[in-house]
Amino acid sequence: MAQILRISSGYSPPPPEGFVSPMTWGVEASVIERFEAAGIPPNNITCEKDTYIFNYISIHAHIMPNRSFFTRS
């Protein structure tokens, strides 16, 4: 996923000010910091690591439904 974001960033405009990179969404310290900044007490913040498995028959079955999203016009 990181490689896809790194490659696509070269073809995208810069993110807006204050944008939080999706690459930090899974970094526990970053998540806690953002929730605390939003006023959530630290004892109400928990994180649980998990893995998402992309389950497709083929790469073609994965890419084709999303092709318009990744294609520049």
Side-chain angles (χ1 to χ4, degrees):
M1 190 66 184
Q3 187 174 2
I4 290 171
L5 291 172
R6 185 173 43 256
I7 291 168
S8 66
S9 70
Y11 299 94
S12 304
E17 188 175 325
F19 175 78
V20 177
S21 169
M23 296 308 298
T24 65
W25 294 353
V27 178
E28 187 172 340
S30 178
V31 172
I32 291 171
E33 180 182 322
R34 287 196 310 271
F35 276 94
E36 285 181 331
I40 307 297
N43 59 332
N44 287 347
I45 303 169
T46 60
C47 295
E48 181 180 328
K49 293 186 180 202
D50 201 353
T51 301
Y52 180 83
I53 298 173
F54 292 90
N55 193 12
Y56 294 95
I57 296 170
S58 67
I59 188 65
H60 181 75
H62 171 66
I63 296 296
M64 293 311 291
N66 299 300
R67 188 172 183 187
S68 63
F69 179 79
F70 293 108
T71 305
R72 293 182 67 173
S73 51

